[in-house]
């Protein structure tokens, strides 16, 4: 916040430690400068998935076997889930491009994809989360 533009910057995080030794963290940051906008900019999402056994930050590609078309599968699953829930879909934000799936967290049973408002739908629909159980991705996953 400054005298020229009063506002705020807030941040929160959610963390989980998995049985596999992976620590999965989702950070959410929102800022607002009161310059008369109808609504604040969307919350920014950032994730980190850290394997304590290997001392390695996991990228999305680390989860999948080389040569598999995992991005196409994630794109299909995302679009299908959003359509099933009646969310208006912006297909470009869910297209099979690595950057579209840069924000992800893990549970013991699933890959969780996080999308900022506007990325895969309209602002009114807000942030979207798509949960894909590992058993649905099993043929594509690396053996751990």
């Amino acid at each position: 916040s400054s005298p020229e533009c009063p506002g705020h910057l807030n941040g929160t995080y959610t963390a989980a430690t998995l049985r596999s030794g992976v620590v999965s963290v989702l950070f959410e940051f929102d800022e607002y400068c009161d310059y008369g906008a109808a609504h604040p900019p969307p919350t920014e999402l950032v994730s980190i998935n850290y394997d304590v056994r290997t001392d390695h930050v996991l990228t999305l590609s680390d989860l999948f076997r080389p040569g598999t078309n995992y991005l196409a599968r994630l794109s299909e699953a995302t679009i299908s889930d959003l359509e099933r829930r009646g969310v208006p879909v912006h297909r470009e934000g869910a297209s099979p491009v690595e950057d579209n799936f840069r924000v992800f967290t893990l549970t013991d049973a699933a890959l969780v994809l996080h999308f900022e408002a506007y990325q895969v739908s309209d602002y009114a629909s807000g942030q979207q989360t798509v949960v894909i159980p590992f058993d649905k991705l099993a043929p594509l996953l690396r053996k751990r």
Side-chain angles (χ1 to χ4, degrees):
S1 177
S2 73
E4 297 84 35
C5 188
H8 69 263
L9 171 64
N10 294 318
T12 61
Y13 70 92
T14 307
T17 302
L18 310 183
R19 290 188 303 259
S20 64
V22 171
V23 177
S24 189
V25 185
L26 177 67
F27 299 93
E28 299 185 53
F29 301 100
D30 69 270
E31 62 180 311
Y32 184 65
C33 182
D34 190 10
Y35 54 87
H39 50 75
T43 299
E44 183 176 349
L45 303 174
V46 178
S47 65
I48 187 166
N49 296 279
Y50 179 73
D51 189 335
V52 297
R53 294 172 308 159
T54 62
D55 192 29
H56 181 72
V57 174
L58 298 173
T59 64
L60 188 62
S61 64
D62 290 332
L63 305 177
F64 297 94
R65 289 185 299 115
T68 61
N69 197 358
Y70 67 91
L71 291 172
R73 178 67 185 101
L74 298 181
S75 175
E76 292 165 7
T78 297
I79 292 168
S80 174
D81 182 75
L82 295 173
E83 288 177 340
R84 180 185 54 76
R85 292 188 282 133
V87 175
V89 179
H90 296 167
R91 290 178 178 268
E92 184 177 320
S95 64
V97 176
E98 186 95 23
D99 192 53
N100 284 341
F101 304 101
R102 72 189 176 284
V103 182
F104 70 95
T105 53
L106 303 168
T107 71
D108 287 318
L111 170 65
V112 183
L113 303 172
H114 303 271
F115 302 97
E116 297 171 356
Y118 291 121
Q119 182 180 344
V120 295
S121 192
D122 52 28
Y123 184 83
S125 296
Q127 294 177 11
Q128 296 297 316
T129 301
V130 174
V131 179
I132 307 173
F134 287 133
D135 61 355
K136 301 249 190 236
L137 299 170
L140 306 175
L141 294 173
R142 285 185 194 258
K143 304 295 181 221
R144 294 190 45 98

